[in-house]
Amino acid sequence: MSLPLSAAQFVTLAAEEHGGNHESLSPYVTGIGAFVILMLLLWITTRFNRDR
């Protein structure tokens, strides 16, 4: 598979009307979930750096 052929397939895939997002995947749930995970990682990091 050559690079121009791969690029043409990606352009065709990106041009589809329905996008590719799953109907059950809510952007709000995804965003809140990512925020909670990042806050948990921040909290864990600050617990291990008590000497600073």
Side-chain angles (χ1 to χ4, degrees):
M1 191 177 238
S2 66
L3 186 61
L5 182 60
S6 298
Q9 287 178 346
F10 281 125
V11 168
T12 305
L13 181 64
E16 291 182 8
E17 290 182 20
H18 52 78
N21 294 333
H22 198 272
E23 292 177 2
S24 67
L25 187 60
S26 172
Y28 294 110
V29 173
T30 306
I32 291 171
F35 180 76
V36 168
I37 290 170
L38 288 173
M39 289 298 109
L40 180 64
L41 289 173
L42 180 64
W43 181 78
I44 291 170
T45 302
T46 57
R47 297 302 108 199
F48 282 116
N49 286 330
R50 288 188 176 211
D51 58 336
R52 291 187 176 204

